[in-house]
Amino acid sequence: MKVSSRHKLHLVVTLVTAGFALLAFAPAAKADGGVAVDLSEIAVEDHLDPGRRYELPRITVRNPGDEPSSYRMSAGGVGDDGLLDPVDEWFSFEPNIFELDAHATQAVVISLRLPEDVPPGDYSGLLRAELLPEGEGSLVGVAAGARISFVVTEPGDLGAFLRWLVSIFTALMPWSYIVPLVLLAVLVSALVQRRFRIRIEAR
Amino acid sequence: MRNSKKGNHLAGRRAALLFAVTLALVMVAPVSAADNGSVPGQVSVVGGGACIEVAGVFTFGLQPFSPDGAIGPTLSSTGATITNCDATAPADILARGTAAVSSTDAEVVWDLNTTIASDGCPTVGTDQYGHAVFSVQTGLGIFLSLVDTPTFGDQLASGATYDIVPQLYMPCEGSGGAGHTMNFSAIFTALQG
């Protein structure tokens, strides 16, 4: 049975008027592809402090398929009982969105910036490398994930203050050693000169 | 005697200068440390990450809104297959969904609702939709939420596949989006360990 274009138009107008939604005109959506990562878990054993930024181990993303594909990095919770969910906005990925040729890989730098008001406690979530499906309508996506876990301390904790001191000391090396040593040497020298008179002469 | 006093004064000035420099460095340090980021000292990393592939699409075609007292699932005319492409290890498969957003008007949004089938229309309200996925192999499935959730029971063995059958629950009559193509996703995440 042939349907004229006028009748087709009439049919569409009728359906729209009747309150139909047009969903997923396949095969407009292309979902074939894949994704792989080289880590399954990152467990941060040091306690982390609110308001600070941490660099995490890199994760390598691989395109296992035979076609070039686009990928996006993200993070989220897994709804583990008794554990807090990390928030995607706390993480930054470099690069965040990228393309990979068939079987190519991309190393991704991950950092975590905890807000000042982050609730203390045990966190458990996922870092995801997600295949970006193309097209419109009902899409099927896949992601390869790695678990991440960390503990956030109470603000004002003495341990947090000590870790802050150590991190400053580490960040400023070697000056964190040199400056206090020079300062100490000068102070000792000044004290010695004040109390003793040293005279060095060639004989 | 005068020379000794002069020497002491000079040493004192040097010490004061160095103290001031040290103080300045300490005051600058928190800003530098915060901006550059620091690597936590104790991090354990487990290698051997997950690998997942997908083939196929879901096709729901043209669907009416759900009338009061009669909400039912719409089946896709096509299915999708996911494969654990890791050569050695099984993987947990989690799934999550997204809100449905009109391809022509970003303000037309349907929120994902996991209780739409039990609540029904009009209880669930307008602009809510449901999206469920089932595995042909295990017969298990879930209503998708925005959070990654374990989905099909067993781990997916290395090289094995799940054939996925989706179900869609259309929003109640009176929702927005009539005549629009709505974009939404089901995302399957593979996880090792």
Side-chain angles (χ1 to χ4, degrees):
Chain A
M1 187 180 80
K2 281 192 172 180
V3 182
S4 72
S5 56
R6 194 176 165 187
H7 279 106
K8 280 181 183 168
L9 181 66
H10 181 71
L11 177 67
V12 168
V13 170
T14 308
L15 289 173
V16 168
T17 314
F20 278 59
L22 305 168
L23 295 174
F25 283 110
K30 170 185 172 288
D32 296 6
V35 58
V37 292
D38 68 338
L39 297 180
S40 60
E41 185 173 356
I42 297 173
V44 181
E45 288 161 18
D46 279 358
H47 289 198
L48 307 184
D49 306 317
R52 295 208 41 218
R53 190 168 80 91
Y54 299 92
E55 285 178 14
L56 299 174
R58 291 178 181 210
I59 195 165
T60 299
V61 181
R62 179 170 59 89
N63 175 2
D66 296 324
E67 301 277 335
S69 296
S70 298
Y71 298 90
R72 175 178 55 208
M73 301 300 298
S74 66
V78 283
D80 278 347
D81 287 342
L83 298 175
L84 298 165
D85 288 338
V87 177
D88 184 44
E89 287 73 28
W90 299 352
F91 293 86
S92 59
F93 301 94
E94 187 54 45
N96 185 30
I97 294 176
F98 49 91
E99 269 194 31
L100 285 178
D101 289 334
H103 308 294
T105 60
Q106 171 73 56
V108 176
V109 176
I110 309 166
S111 59
L112 165 65
R113 182 184 284 279
L114 293 170
E116 294 283 357
D117 59 352
V118 59
D122 291 12
Y123 284 80
S124 174
L126 286 182
L127 303 173
R128 297 179 294 239
E130 187 176 322
L131 172 73
L132 285 176
E134 297 169 13
E136 288 189 329
S138 175
L139 304 174
V140 186
V142 284
R147 287 185 176 86
I148 180 163
S149 58
F150 55 90
V151 179
V152 176
T153 56
E154 295 272 1
D157 183 63
L158 178 64
F161 177 70
L162 291 174
R163 282 190 296 279
W164 173 77
L165 277 183
V166 169
S167 73
I168 290 169
F169 199 77
T170 311
L172 292 176
M173 280 205 296
W175 297 107
S176 48
Y177 289 107
I178 293 170
V179 171
L181 282 176
V182 169
L183 186 61
L184 188 67
V186 170
L187 283 172
V188 168
S189 155
L191 280 173
V192 167
Q193 282 185 37
R194 186 172 289 175
R195 289 174 181 268
F196 307 101
R197 190 167 177 187
I198 300 168
R199 190 170 164 183
I200 301 168
E201 283 182 344
R203 293 184 96 181
Chain B
M1 187 73 179
R2 187 178 288 176
N3 277 350
S4 167
K5 269 189 179 174
K6 200 175 173 182
N8 284 347
H9 183 65
L10 214 64
R13 280 180 64 184
R14 274 192 216 135
L17 181 68
L18 275 167
F19 184 73
V21 169
T22 311
L23 195 66
L25 282 171
V26 168
M27 287 172 76
V28 166
V31 177
S32 309
D35 285 348
N36 293 337
S38 61
V39 181
Q42 294 289 320
V43 178
S44 70
V45 172
V46 182
C51 179
I52 185 169
E53 288 180 318
V54 62
V57 292
F58 298 155
T59 313
F60 294 106
L62 193 67
Q63 297 298 329
F65 289 123
S66 300
D68 287 357
I71 193 162
T74 300
L75 300 177
S76 167
S77 59
T78 59
T81 299
I82 56 173
T83 305
N84 176 3
C85 48
D86 187 84
T88 55
D92 291 315
I93 302 297
L94 315 179
R96 72 182 196 280
T98 64
V101 182
S102 164
S103 60
T104 51
D105 183 354
E107 290 188 3
V108 176
V109 177
W110 300 340
D111 292 324
L112 201 51
N113 191 305
T114 56
T115 60
I116 190 169
S118 52
D119 290 349
C121 291
T123 308
V124 73
T126 56
D127 298 320
Q128 308 283 312
Y129 85 108
H131 195 185
V133 290
F134 295 87
S135 158
V136 170
Q137 283 77 11
T138 67
L140 299 174
I142 55 162
F143 272 90
L144 298 176
S145 71
L146 299 178
V147 177
D148 280 300
T149 308
T151 308
F152 302 128
D154 300 334
Q155 285 193 314
L156 186 59
S158 168
T161 60
Y162 277 142
D163 296 312
I164 312 292
V165 177
Q167 290 182 350
L168 180 75
Y169 289 78
M170 286 293 288
C172 301
E173 285 176 344
S175 298
H180 294 219
T181 296
M182 302 298 285
N183 297 324
F184 55 97
S185 300
I187 301 153
F188 299 93
T189 299
L191 203 56
Q192 272 194 9

